[in-house]
Amino acid sequence: MIDSKQKHDESFFSRLKLKQQLEKDDVIWDVVIIGGGATGLGVAVDAAARGYKTLLLEQVDFAKGTSSRSTKLVHGGVRYLAQGDISLVYEALRERGLLLQNAPHLVSVQPFVIPSYSWFNKLFYGIGLKVYDWMAGRYRLNKTSLVGKATVQRLLPNVKQEGLKGGIVYYDGQFDDARLAVNLAQTCVEQGGVVLNYMKVDDLLKNAAGKVTGVRAQDMETGQEFTINAKVVINATGVFVNEVLQMDTPNQEPLVRPSQGVHVVVNSSFLKGDNALMLPKTPDGRVLFAVPWYGHVLFGTTDTPLDSYSLEPTALEQEIDFILQTAGQYLERKPTRKDVLSVFAGLRPLAALGKDSGSTKEISRSHKLIMAPSGLITVTGGKWTTYRKMAEDTMGKAIKIGGLPAKACNTVSLKIHGALLNKSDNFKNLSFYGADAHRVAALAAKHPELGVKLHKSFPYIEAEVVWAARNEMARTVEDVLARRLRVLFLDAKAAIEMAPRVAAILADELTQDEIWQQRQIGTFTALASHYLLEPHNATKPKAVTHI
């Protein structure tokens, strides 16, 4: 289709080139990070930016798990303020401000409206959010205001009118989680680090004294095995930290209690305009959001304790019903199952640390660092907003454990790959690429056949699939449609319709055959079917996780 000679060699983010660094003899990495979600990528960026020889290994794709399934908010945590977790809110508000500065192409200020149906609640939440503003200090985004009924009606045209007394307008951040993960991986490589997806750690290496000295890993695409030596190994695998801990100490007690959060996505007509809806207290005590996102509306989230987990968690029927019913109590036009375009579930790696509780509200949202006698460092808990601070704390411990030369953290002002403050209207549909937008546009201009849209309902063009393969380490149809272009999370049916064309383009880019294409289409279709809502009691095909 296009000049195929050495397609990926031009990119600094070539998986082939980066993997070659694992094949060098006698290399000892300063830091090896297991896990390519928000936490692991944050640590990798911090380590590489300090000048340490850094390697990150992810068993599937970057942000495949929890880190691509958030509510898309960069926030201090109004809920945590109500619970009295003041230190976490302070930390998160500061980090929110830093992220807005360092990744302005992906993070933006989002106005929220809390409709109030009692004068007491209006005053109560208004005062609380004034405090929230005050705590943000110089990182405050905008001023909270108490507004009348007419203003709420104007800002939220679909809000329930009966009994409405007015409301509160406040401001938080919104972002694209999976795109930020990809940009963090690129930032790490720009700083001299190495990151690889589809590279699974199978075991830990130890010396005669029982100290961890590296890892054994396998390339999930080729089966090639690697023995990797390291001065310090960091376990940043989210809900899967227990599995790595058991490599270190068999029968290790679990340190994470997973909690599932579910989101449903509908079209923009359910929340006209640019304002988000926030319900601070639902019938069972949870917070519920309705957030505009890429021309759609995202409702969420639930908070359900789980005893088991997987790479592809499934939304429970009661979670879906809870979201739809609760949202319907506050909207004149009530969303129903037939309105849902996509439903997805994510698992929060809550740091239980021995707590035996049926309620995730009692499990810490703050991150925790655990140092094993073997020298293995585990970081768990936390949230997307505070990923940078988590990484800074983790590297502080890693420097001591690994005997690394002390170097100061410099990520407070480090711009994330793609950072671009002034977004050009010329690349409006490519704005989430930031500084790379003009390069994607240039690719389409050079090859006009790549300017064709992938689907009539979305602005994405074929050039973006080529770009994702060449410059963002996309290896599968799922990588493209779930985490590079986000279509699976917006409209699962449309994503399934795009899959054959995406598979054909990827096959050309990755030098794969027709059999690979058909396998990719089948695998993705089965997976995407679980993002579709069927009538109650309908059965869906079993999802296949492509590794």
Side-chain angles (χ1 to χ4, degrees):
M1 181 175 66
I2 312 172
D3 44 334
S4 58
K5 183 181 179 182
Q6 297 180 327
K7 286 177 180 174
H8 303 281
D9 288 353
E10 296 177 1
S11 173
F12 76 93
F13 204 58
S14 161
R15 188 176 187 275
L16 178 62
K17 277 186 175 180
L18 292 170
K19 194 177 79 166
Q20 288 172 352
Q21 296 197 42
L22 299 189
E23 298 168 349
K24 298 177 181 178
D25 295 331
D26 302 323
V27 172
I28 300 179
W29 299 84
D30 290 326
V31 182
V32 168
I33 300 113
I34 310 172
T39 305
L41 289 165
V43 175
V45 169
D46 186 297
R50 296 193 202 211
Y52 300 122
K53 190 170 182 61
T54 303
L55 171 66
L56 178 142
L57 304 173
E58 162 56 44
Q59 67 171 331
V60 194
D61 186 32
F62 307 116
K64 157 71 177 178
T66 303
S67 296
S68 63
R69 303 163 186 268
S70 74
T71 313
K72 322 306 176 194
L73 300 180
V74 180
H75 62 133
V78 175
R79 171 176 165 180
Y80 312 137
L81 179 61
Q83 293 173 350
D85 198 342
I86 304 301
S87 60
L88 175 60
V89 177
Y90 262 122
E91 177 179 277
L93 287 171
R94 178 176 185 267
E95 294 301 318
R96 180 190 69 178
L98 294 177
L99 194 46
L100 188 62
Q101 292 175 14
N102 294 332
H105 61 304
L106 292 176
V107 184
S108 59
V109 176
Q110 174 64 58
F112 286 80
V113 180
I114 302 178
S116 181
Y117 296 87
S118 81
W119 297 114
F120 173 79
N121 282 345
K122 181 178 178 180
L123 184 61
F124 177 78
Y125 291 117
I127 293 172
L129 285 162
K130 291 282 189 181
V131 173
Y132 190 66
D133 280 356
W134 173 79
M135 291 176 67
R138 66 189 181 95
Y139 295 106
R140 189 179 75 175
L141 303 181
N142 214 324
K143 186 178 180 181
T144 292
S145 58
L146 277 67
V147 298
K149 177 179 178 179
T151 301
V152 173
Q153 291 172 328
R154 177 175 56 81
L155 297 176
L156 296 176
N158 191 34
V159 73
K160 186 182 77 171
Q161 305 295 316
E162 184 181 355
L164 183 65
K165 307 296 184 186
I168 304 101
V169 178
Y170 78 100
Y171 299 84
D172 246 324
Q174 188 197 55
F175 78 135
D176 185 327
D177 46 13
R179 296 264 352 146
L180 179 57
V182 171
N183 285 168
L184 286 172
Q186 293 168 314
T187 304
C188 176
V189 174
E190 288 174 330
Q191 295 295 317
V194 173
V195 300
L196 290 165
N197 55 3
Y198 296 96
M199 190 70 68
K200 184 178 182 181
V201 171
D202 292 323
D203 203 359
L204 301 174
L205 303 177
K206 290 187 176 182
N207 62 18
K211 298 295 184 181
V212 171
T213 59
V215 302
R216 289 191 180 89
Q218 182 180 28
D219 185 340
M220 301 307 290
E221 293 187 344
T222 66
Q224 186 177 5
E225 297 184 346
F226 298 91
T227 297
I228 300 166
N229 299 307
K231 295 177 183 177
V232 62
V233 175
I234 297 171
N235 174 15
T237 52
V239 295
F240 297 101
V241 294
N242 297 330
E243 295 181 10
V244 177
L245 285 167
Q246 287 173 359
M247 293 179 190
D248 182 37
T249 306
N251 303 317
Q252 165 76 48
E253 285 292 320
L255 292 179
V256 160
R257 175 73 184 277
S259 164
Q260 177 162 285
V262 168
H263 300 83
V264 299
V265 178
V266 297
N267 69 49
S268 60
S269 63
F270 285 90
L271 197 71
K272 297 176 182 177
D274 299 325
N275 300 288
L277 167 68
M278 192 271 216
L279 304 177
K281 191 171 184 180
T282 61
D284 72 346
R286 302 172 189 168
V287 171
L288 190 74
F289 293 99
V291 183
W293 194 58
Y294 286 136
H296 295 69
V297 176
L298 182 150
F299 289 108
T301 179
T302 56
D303 197 6
T304 307
L306 295 180
D307 294 320
S308 61
Y309 46 88
S310 68
L311 277 169
E312 272 295 330
T314 302
L316 303 175
E317 289 295 333
Q318 59 264 36
E319 293 179 300
I320 297 167
D321 290 342
F322 165 80
I323 289 174
L324 293 175
Q325 290 169 9
T326 304
Q329 293 173 14
Y330 292 88
L331 298 175
E332 293 287 351
R333 183 185 173 203
K334 306 177 188 304
T336 65
R337 292 177 67 88
K338 66 180 177 61
D339 298 311
V340 176
L341 300 174
S342 184
V343 56
F344 61 93
L347 302 178
R348 304 180 188 92
L350 305 183
L353 298 179
K355 291 190 178 183
D356 183 16
S357 170
S359 171
T360 60
K361 298 181 182 69
E362 299 175 24
I363 303 176
S364 177
R365 254 67 175 181
S366 299
H367 63 277
K368 296 289 185 293
L369 282 169
I370 301 100
M371 270 61 65
S374 66
L376 176 69
I377 297 175
T378 295
V379 54
T380 188
K383 48 189 259 183
W384 245 120
T385 305
T386 58
Y387 87 91
R388 192 212 63 82
K389 184 61 167 64
M390 293 167 65
E392 181 179 353
D393 292 349
T394 302
M395 281 308 301
K397 295 293 184 183
I399 290 168
K400 295 178 182 178
I401 295 291
L404 304 176
K407 298 178 182 179
C409 174
N410 62 2
T411 56
V412 167
S413 58
L414 180 67
K415 301 300 181 185
I416 305 303
H417 178 90
L420 185 66
L421 184 58
N422 298 315
K423 301 175 184 177
S424 171
D425 290 338
N426 294 332
F427 307 119
K428 186 175 181 181
N429 291 332
L430 304 173
S431 63
F432 56 78
Y433 292 102
D436 285 335
H438 74 283
R439 297 176 62 197
V440 181
L443 177 62
K446 184 177 181 180
H447 303 279
E449 71 275 15
L450 295 180
V452 177
K453 289 173 65 172
L454 291 166
H455 194 278
K456 62 182 180 181
S457 299
F458 288 87
Y460 309 124
I461 59 176
E462 293 187 2
E464 294 177 78
V465 182
V466 174
W467 178 266
R470 294 184 182 183
N471 299 284
E472 296 180 346
M473 217 179 286
R475 312 296 294 178
T476 71
V477 170
E478 182 194 341
D479 293 349
V480 172
L481 291 177
R483 290 172 292 280
R484 304 308 186 276
L485 298 183
R486 311 318 310 272
V487 183
L488 179 59
F489 291 86
L490 296 169
D491 188 332
K493 184 174 181 292
I496 291 171
E497 293 169 354
M498 293 185 193
R501 187 60 193 140
V502 171
I505 297 170
L506 276 182
D508 183 76
E509 284 296 308
L510 303 178
T511 320
Q512 298 288 352
D513 58 18
E514 179 68 25
I515 295 174
W516 182 89
Q517 288 185 54
Q518 294 306 314
R519 187 184 303 122
Q520 280 288 307
I521 295 167
T523 298
F524 181 77
T525 300
L527 179 144
S529 71
H530 288 261
Y531 291 67
L532 290 167
L533 273 193
E534 301 293 342
H536 282 294
N537 301 322
T539 57
K540 299 178 182 179
K542 186 177 181 181
V544 180
T545 301
H546 179 82
I547 296 179

